[in-house]
Amino acid sequence: MSNKIRLMEVDRQFHTKIAEISGNSLIADFLRSVHERMSRIWLLPLWQFHDFSLTGNEHETILNVMRERNGKAVDDAMARHTESLRQRIMAVAV
């Protein structure tokens, strides 16, 4: 299994677990379609190891604030992660 495929699977597991913890089945269903679309982005030749490293760091931040049970910090960390990803997608899509 390639590194990109493995990292993509870890990312999917991370987000799926958060959706399960939330207990919101709508979020879990939504995430499935997002991850199907994102798999195309992850496999773009312009997607660099830096992108995977940054994603891992963002995930670690999210986990840390979840452990602190700080809802506002979790919201902020997830918003930063989403915006970071959006910006990186736009950078390789143009």
Side-chain angles (χ1 to χ4, degrees):
M1 180 181 301
S2 78
N3 285 340
K4 278 188 177 184
I5 299 296
R6 179 68 186 128
L7 290 168
M8 187 171 61
E9 182 57 32
V10 169
D11 181 76
R12 181 184 302 255
Q13 290 171 0
F14 175 81
H15 289 279
T16 299
K17 183 51 98 177
I18 290 176
E20 288 172 3
I21 291 168
S22 79
N24 186 327
S25 61
L26 183 60
I27 290 174
D29 288 343
F30 175 74
L31 275 177
R32 273 190 283 285
S33 70
V34 168
H35 275 109
E36 288 171 11
R37 291 181 180 139
M38 281 301 300
S39 64
R40 296 180 203 126
I41 300 294
W42 281 77
L43 298 173
L44 285 173
L46 296 174
W47 207 249
Q48 300 294 316
F49 184 77
H50 168 75
D51 295 302
F52 301 119
S53 178
L54 183 56
T55 295
N57 291 339
E58 292 166 353
H59 286 178
E60 186 174 339
T61 298
I62 291 167
L63 283 174
N64 288 337
V65 294
M66 287 177 75
R67 286 183 185 115
E68 295 169 3
R69 299 186 180 274
N70 182 337
K72 173 75 169 105
V74 172
D75 287 347
D76 291 346
M78 288 185 172
R80 282 191 306 273
H81 175 52
T82 302
E83 180 58 21
S84 169
L85 181 59
R86 187 191 70 76
Q87 288 178 7
R88 288 181 281 142
I89 291 169
M90 295 307 292
V92 298
V94 291

